[in-house]
Amino acid sequence: MAIDVLSRAPRPHAPTPDGTWRNWSGSVVCRPAAFVEPADAADVARHVTQAVADGRGVRVVGGGHSFTPLVATDGLLLGLDRLAFVDEPVALAAPEGRATHTVRVGAGLRLHDLNRALARLGLAMGNLGDIDHQSVAGAISTGTHGTGGVAAGLATQVRAVELVLADGTRITASRAERPELFEAARLGLGTLGVLVAVTLAVEPTYVLEAREEPWPLDRVLDGLDDLLAANEHVEFYWFPHTRRALTKRNNRRPVSDAPLGRVRGFVDDELLSNGLFEVVNRVGRLAPRAIPRLNAVSSRALSARRFTAPSHEVFVSPRRVRFHETEWAVPHEALPAVLAELETWLERSGEHVSFPMEVRFAAPDDVWLSTAYGRRTAYVAVHQYWRTDRRRLFAAVQEIMVAHEGRPHWGKEHAVARDYLETVYPRLGDHLAVRADVDPSGTFLNPHVRQVLGL
């Protein structure tokens, strides 16, 4: 029996009354010929087959939080917010690591609604990213990940996918049933069909103890291996133009642990993400030369704090300041060199960056198009305030990352294509072969996807 958890929140991804669609950051704009929100899988199939008959391409939008033009189309744009349900959990015959159950959910379900629904069922995701605005389909299809060193991306928690193909056929794929389609579709950029439901491995509810401390950057890098070995989830924010970082360590604690308050961290949240940070960025845009001093003040204003809370409340942070972002996954051992080269470029170029650079980690996984496929990974995310020109900065970041065999996050800005991607994704050819088999006419492609994948 499905539990209806349709969010009543406004849908920022829907086109405006004049038919214009924009993503969250405002970096992507398109005018689809039609926008529809199907009520169920049969409705999806009807709209897809009609679009094919009309000679239109089809793309799908979740939360509109990708920074690349993955969604952009002049054909049919499908919004999946009405496909927002959570079925009753099913107990696994034997635990899979910490996972004890699977749960089938609607592909359009927003992550914040998923987290609340699972909590009511006494369950939780094993790992999450730090933003929960995305849909389940959008998050897994673009390679959303959290951090940890032993933890992996959301796609590794997928156990089955249900797709509507270009001919209207509805197909279920898993490791046991159509395994190659499963491998391609659980992180597929929306290029194989329309995801309508996803089965996830979940685990009993747990709490995390969060410890956040400002450290010198050298201390972080010198002790990084020990830091990762001693903690389940580690990340840090480096403030450009300084040698300071904010470290974050999250570890499991018994569910009975009494929650510890966040009051002391209110200023920290505002400096990193929200009201005060908006002011800092506006000042920096008007007076770029002040940014190094602003970053120095912000990094020194942060205080240490510790709190416990349900896992999803610790993983996710509020983000109210709009930005553009590029993020790259590099081999773990390359991280110190990458950060050093970024710092050198900033010093020589005179470019000023007001956003902290976020560094996270992941264990190797086996998802074909995962940024952590087959290697221990460090992620470096570079942001720029949405009103600031980011082109020179992001081009320089890309050059540095490519020199270290970096893999771009599929939903973050980049300008690499198939000739490079084939050198860092050993299973890209397998993915493209499956895609061509299920969608030979390219119904689910758009110009961006064709350019990136060389189709």
Side-chain angles (χ1 to χ4, degrees):
M1 181 178 68
I3 305 166
D4 183 5
V5 288
L6 177 62
S7 176
R8 307 301 172 188
R11 303 188 306 280
H13 67 276
T16 57
D18 69 354
T20 302
W21 179 87
R22 290 179 174 82
N23 67 341
W24 175 81
S25 70
S27 61
V28 180
V29 180
C30 69
R31 292 181 63 88
F35 171 76
V36 295
E37 293 184 294
D40 52 32
D43 205 12
V44 171
R46 181 173 64 83
H47 285 294
V48 169
T49 53
Q50 185 61 55
V52 171
D54 294 340
R56 291 176 176 170
V58 179
R59 293 300 289 166
V60 178
V61 60
H65 218 279
S66 287
F67 298 86
T68 51
L70 282 169
V71 168
T73 182
D74 58 2
L76 173 64
L77 185 60
L78 291 177
L80 299 186
D81 270 2
R82 296 175 70 188
L83 301 183
F85 60 83
V86 177
D87 281 352
E88 292 290 342
V90 176
L92 291 167
E96 298 177 5
R98 286 170 165 155
T100 59
H101 292 74
T102 60
V103 61
R104 177 175 171 271
V105 306
L109 185 67
R110 298 300 180 91
L111 291 179
H112 53 79
D113 291 326
L114 170 65
N115 292 332
R116 284 194 288 265
L118 289 177
R120 292 199 300 269
L121 296 167
L123 298 167
M125 296 285 285
N127 194 23
L128 289 165
D130 61 358
I131 294 175
D132 62 0
H133 302 306
Q134 309 99 314
S135 67
V136 170
I140 66 171
S141 295
T142 57
T144 295
H145 60 90
T147 189
V150 296
L154 269 63
T156 65
Q157 299 170 66
V158 176
R159 294 296 178 268
V161 295
E162 296 169 42
L163 289 156
V164 171
L165 302 183
D167 62 1
T169 303
R170 184 173 173 181
I171 288 182
T172 298
S174 65
R175 289 191 186 276
E177 182 180 4
R178 301 197 65 161
E180 289 197 339
L181 179 57
F182 170 71
E183 294 295 350
R186 63 172 167 160
L187 200 172
L189 311 180
T191 64
L192 296 97
V194 180
L195 280 171
V196 293
V198 176
T199 299
L200 299 166
V202 293
E203 56 188 82
T205 301
Y206 59 100
V207 301
L208 289 171
E209 178 189 63
R211 299 181 69 93
E212 303 177 1
E213 295 177 329
W215 287 9
L217 180 61
D218 291 336
R219 177 185 173 189
V220 178
L221 296 178
D222 291 345
L224 188 56
D225 286 342
D226 291 339
L227 197 61
L228 289 168
N231 298 278
E232 292 188 65
H233 304 276
V234 174
E235 64 183 305
F236 67 89
Y237 292 83
W238 167 46
F239 288 78
H241 317 294
T242 79
R243 297 293 294 174
R244 297 185 63 79
L246 176 69
T247 63
K248 295 191 173 189
R249 294 165 285 165
N250 300 328
N251 291 287
R252 293 179 184 234
R253 293 292 179 261
V255 175
S256 59
D257 269 17
L260 298 173
R262 298 173 181 249
V263 174
R264 189 177 178 190
F266 173 78
V267 172
D268 302 40
D269 286 338
E270 292 297 297
L271 279 172
L272 279 173
S273 309
N274 303 310
L276 291 177
F277 193 48
E278 175 73 36
V279 173
V280 168
N281 278 278
R282 290 190 180 192
V283 171
R285 180 170 177 267
L286 294 173
R289 293 178 182 273
I291 287 176
R293 183 175 297 178
L294 290 170
N295 285 3
V297 171
S298 295
S299 65
R300 292 187 179 279
L302 297 172
S303 59
R305 63 167 166 167
R306 170 176 168 259
F307 63 89
T308 62
S311 56
H312 65 277
E313 294 182 13
V314 175
F315 284 131
V316 175
S317 300
R319 292 286 185 269
R320 297 198 300 271
V321 178
R322 274 200 286 174
F323 53 83
H324 302 292
E325 182 178 359
T326 184
E327 182 179 53
W328 293 77
V330 298
H332 175 87
E333 60 274 13
L335 177 63
V338 165
L339 294 184
E341 290 172 31
L342 286 171
E343 184 174 40
T344 297
W345 184 85
L346 289 174
E347 291 174 353
R348 292 177 177 174
S349 68
E351 189 82 13
H352 295 104
V353 180
S354 56
F355 267 78
M357 294 188 185
E358 184 178 18
V359 180
R360 293 179 286 175
F361 305 91
D365 66 44
D366 62 353
V367 181
W368 286 358
L369 293 190
S370 167
T371 45
Y373 179 85
R375 72 186 188 192
R376 192 178 178 209
T377 295
Y379 293 96
V380 180
V382 179
H383 310 74
Q384 190 64 287
Y385 186 51
W386 72 287
R387 295 179 183 273
T388 301
D389 189 342
R390 77 280 189 191
R391 289 173 294 182
R392 185 170 74 137
L393 171 64
F394 284 10
V397 170
Q398 176 170 303
E399 184 175 353
I400 292 169
M401 300 301 179
V402 166
H404 291 277
E405 299 183 342
R407 295 167 177 164
H409 187 302
W410 297 105
K412 311 292 176 69
E413 291 191 34
H414 68 89
V416 293
R418 182 171 175 174
D419 59 344
Y420 172 73
L421 294 173
E422 285 180 323
T423 69
V424 292
Y425 284 101
R427 303 303 297 270
L428 180 60
D430 297 315
H431 174 91
L432 295 177
V434 175
R435 196 221 65 78
D437 182 57
V438 296
D439 183 27
S441 62
T443 297
F444 299 105
L445 303 178
N446 69 1
H448 171 74
V449 174
R450 288 184 184 276
Q451 185 270 328
V452 169
L453 299 181
L455 301 173

